[in-house]
Amino acid sequence: MQTQPRGIRNNNPLNIRISSVAWQGKVEHNTDGAFEQFTRLEYGIRAALVNIRTYIKRDHIDTVQAIITKWAPASDGNNTERYIETVCKKTLIPRTMRLKYTDKGRICMIVWAMIQVECGQEIGMGRIENAWAII
């Protein structure tokens, strides 16, 4: 039996690090030690969507290139450039296209592609849209 990727096991497919944020659906007793754990996959996706929308609205980090550079910096050992290229190729969104925090379609597509990079698995768009609906 193959073990699921950590992000899937934690219901946190974008591997959000543990913080003091009182995320909706956050487990009461985290057993991971490094990454948040959620009671359902949609809550983990919701947290990622909230973070990305905050980047865009509050911090003006509003392109795929800027979002992924912040999300997965090279200083953490990530191949940030390949991550950006992969997300742009999968979504057909240009790396420097300015995004709006209300752009459900594009933001959901970006998260869909980021999950594939982070976990090596595809999550159905319906689950990502369900997470958007509970923001």
Side-chain angles (χ1 to χ4, degrees), residues 34-51:
F35 295 99
E36 294 285 12
Q37 293 177 314
F38 296 92
T39 57
R40 292 189 3 234
L41 186 64
E42 283 80 5
Y43 287 127
I45 296 168
R46 177 193 178 279
L49 289 166
V50 167
N51 274 343

Side-chain angles (χ1 to χ4, degrees), residues 22-80:
W23 293 112
Q24 184 176 342
K26 184 175 181 172
V27 299
E28 190 172 334
H29 302 290
N30 186 307
T31 59
D32 183 279
F35 295 99
E36 294 285 12
Q37 293 177 314
F38 296 92
T39 57
R40 292 189 3 234
L41 186 64
E42 283 80 5
Y43 287 127
I45 296 168
R46 177 193 178 279
L49 289 166
V50 167
N51 274 343
I52 290 169
R53 286 171 43 118
T54 299
Y55 288 177
I56 294 168
K57 184 177 182 181
R58 184 190 71 199
D59 303 332
H60 307 290
I61 297 170
D62 61 358
T63 65
V64 171
Q65 179 174 305
I67 290 166
I68 293 172
T69 297
K70 179 166 177 66
W71 196 275
S75 61
D76 282 357
N78 296 294
N79 186 334
T80 306

